Amino acid sequence: MNIEGVSHSNIRTVSKAGSIKDSVPPIHAQAIQSYQDLGPVEASEATGTYDLYGEVAPTSVGFAVAPPNGYEVYMPARPGFFSNNLSIAVTDPSAEPFSSGKSRSEIIEAARKVLDARYARMADSGQPFRPKSLEAADWYSLFGELDRRALSAIRTDETGYFSDLEQEIAQAIMLQQQSLAMGQYYGPTRLAGAYAEAGGIDPSDHMAVGKAGALWLDQVSHEEKSTLSDWMEQRAAAQYLYENGARDAGQEPEDLSSGFRFVDMLLQAYRELEQLGEGHELNYLPSYQKAWQMFVDQMPSEQSSSLTLFF
């Protein structure tokens, strides 16, 4: 599948269904399909929170703009807009130019105001936000002031402050950040060659890709680790990939333990499935079910109360 003007690459990992499939991060396909399901590129009316006079509420949110790190070129924005706060996460996922000093509820409120202001700015320019735009430039123009912690807050928010589309965009950008950090290209097709030439991480070296992913995921906010199930699955998959890559290379893998018992348990499930072989499914393994229950048990009550487990 291809987003208009966007290319991405995958590596192999364990799927929920208990097989090996091309899909890292596993939800790439979902994010891309959501983009394609929006239909052809077309203009869209600005949306957001309006005051009693029909005007978009003014934004009064304090935040910083991260310095360029070279990855903003893979997140192209409209002229006059920037994506630095998104791209900084590729090299420093702990960076908080937008969310620093804010509680989760404050991040959600601030993010809503910023998105509304950007919707209004696009509409005022005569070119309203388009859900489908070449190279997803309108996505980056809309979300460009937000850092990864803010994206995670949007992704997991259940207050209704954000539309399904906004949450899907947050998810897709988070996956792009992770992919680029792991040496897996996800960005404008026209820049794929330049990215490959830059070198960084050899995408065919699963040992290097997995280790980079595990170490990168360890740096994201504690909120993401404790509320986003995608993090648990991605962290376990990255370590699993690294360990298998190391053994294939005849090396003893380093201990890349995350410090989270639910990740360790999910890794155990992956290893058990590998030993069991064909005819077994991951989601029926007791260790897999226990990993998910452990994750739910440590989640904040407002998140865990709304999470339904399907095995």
Side-chain angles (χ1 to χ4, degrees), residues 25 31-32 43 48 105 129 139 142 187 256 259 276:
I32 293 168
S105 61
F129 171 77
W139 288 14
L142 179 64
L256 295 185
L276 290 170

Side-chain angles (χ1 to χ4, degrees), residues 118-135:
R118 287 207 164 194
Y119 279 126
R121 182 179 170 191
M122 292 184 201
D124 289 344
S125 73
Q127 294 182 325
F129 171 77
R130 295 168 298 168
K132 282 185 70 71
S133 57
L134 182 63
E135 298 180 347

Side-chain angles (χ1 to χ4, degrees), residues 2-167:
N2 290 309
I3 297 175
E4 183 178 6
V6 176
S7 64
H8 70 287
S9 56
N10 296 320
I11 53 179
R12 297 175 69 84
T13 183
V14 177
S15 73
K16 275 189 176 182
S19 61
I20 301 295
K21 66 178 183 179
D22 289 325
S23 143
V24 162
I27 54 179
H28 258 331
Q30 296 176 22
I32 293 168
Q33 188 62 56
S34 296
Y35 189 102
Q36 292 186 325
D37 289 346
L38 293 172
V41 176
E42 59 184 13
S44 170
E45 293 184 2
T47 59
T49 304
Y50 291 79
D51 63 21
L52 296 176
Y53 302 97
E55 299 293 332
V56 175
T59 303
S60 57
V61 178
F63 63 90
V65 177
N69 64 353
Y71 286 92
E72 63 278 353
V73 298
Y74 304 115
M75 303 176 184
R78 293 186 183 191
F81 290 78
F82 65 87
S83 60
N84 297 37
N85 287 1
L86 298 175
S87 67
I88 192 65
V90 178
T91 50
D92 183 7
S94 66
E96 297 182 356
F98 180 84
S99 60
S100 178
K102 296 182 179 70
S103 66
R104 178 182 171 82
S105 61
E106 289 171 338
I107 292 172
I108 290 172
E109 181 179 358
R112 179 70 270 162
K113 289 181 178 179
V114 163
L115 294 183
D116 291 342
R118 287 207 164 194
Y119 279 126
R121 182 179 170 191
M122 292 184 201
D124 289 344
S125 73
Q127 294 182 325
F129 171 77
R130 295 168 298 168
K132 282 185 70 71
S133 57
L134 182 63
E135 298 180 347
D138 280 12
W139 288 14
Y140 305 122
S141 301
L142 179 64
F143 280 72
E145 294 171 2
L146 307 182
D147 54 32
R148 187 172 177 88
R149 186 175 170 222
L151 294 179
S152 177
I154 292 173
R155 175 79 177 83
T156 57
D157 180 63
E158 296 178 346
T159 64
Y161 262 43
F162 305 99
S163 68
D164 290 344
L165 173 61
E166 289 168 341
Q167 291 189 310

